[in-house]
Amino acid sequence: MAADPILMTAGKWLGAASGVLALTTIVGYLSRWGIRFRLVGITSFTALLAVSCLAFAVSYTPRVQLAGAVSVPVVFDNGIDLVVAAAPDGLADGAAAPTVQQVAQNLRGGGRSSADNLVHVRLRRVETIAPGLSKPVVLAEATRSLTSGDVELQP
C-alpha cells in the first residue's frame, strides 16, 4: 500500500521535533527550569501527532474510481452481508454495472462476517407506481468476497 508522502514527511519531522523536545525537557528538569512541566505536555503532544501522522499515512487507501461509474450514496448497510446504494434518477443504462462495482470495491471489510464470506451490494432505484405508492427496483448487483476482496457482478 502506498503511503501518503505529505503525511509521511510530516510524521518524520514531528518525530524529530519530539526527540529534540524530549532532550530539552530532560535538560529543563535537570536545570530546574520553570517551564519544565509545560515541556512535558508539549513533548508528549508532539510525539502523539508524529505517531498519528505516520499511522494515517501508512493506513490510508484512496477510493477506487471506475470509468463510467457514478458516485452514489449508500442508503442501507447492515454491517454484515448487505449494502444497498441509491441510484440517481438520470443514471444511464450502461453506468449501473460500473457503479455497483465501484461501491463494492470501496467497501471496508473490517468487522464484516457472513456465513458464505460474501457481501452483496445492490444498486436500486425507487420507482413511483401510483401517487403515494412506490417500489424499489434493483438495477445491478455485485458480490464481494471478504477473504480475497474480489468483486463479481451478478446477472
Side-chain angles (χ1 to χ4, degrees), residues 67-95:
V70 178
S71 181
V72 294
V74 173
V75 294
F76 179 77
D77 184 357
N78 68 357
I80 300 172
D81 63 349
L82 180 61
V83 175
V84 179
D89 290 335
L91 184 68
D93 293 335

Side-chain angles (χ1 to χ4, degrees), residues 1-44:
M1 291 185 190
D4 187 23
I6 294 174
L7 283 174
M8 188 65 82
T9 303
K12 289 177 184 177
W13 278 101
L14 284 168
S18 66
V20 170
L21 284 169
L23 291 175
T24 306
T25 302
I26 292 170
V27 169
Y29 263 96
L30 295 176
S31 301
R32 299 253 184 222
W33 291 347
I35 196 173
R36 65 183 181 260
F37 297 111
R38 291 185 187 131
L39 284 173
V40 171
I42 293 168
T43 303
S44 60

Side-chain angles (χ1 to χ4, degrees), residues 45-120:
F45 185 70
T46 306
L48 178 68
L49 285 176
V51 170
S52 299
C53 283
L54 290 173
F56 186 70
V58 170
S59 68
Y60 176 73
T61 54
R63 297 185 65 78
V64 175
Q65 296 288 332
L66 296 178
V70 178
S71 181
V72 294
V74 173
V75 294
F76 179 77
D77 184 357
N78 68 357
I80 300 172
D81 63 349
L82 180 61
V83 175
V84 179
D89 290 335
L91 184 68
D93 293 335
T99 300
V100 76
Q101 186 175 5
Q102 177 176 296
V103 171
Q105 288 181 349
N106 285 328
L107 286 179
R108 303 293 180 239
R112 294 185 187 272
S113 65
S114 66
D116 56 357
N117 282 332
L118 295 176
V119 177
H120 301 278

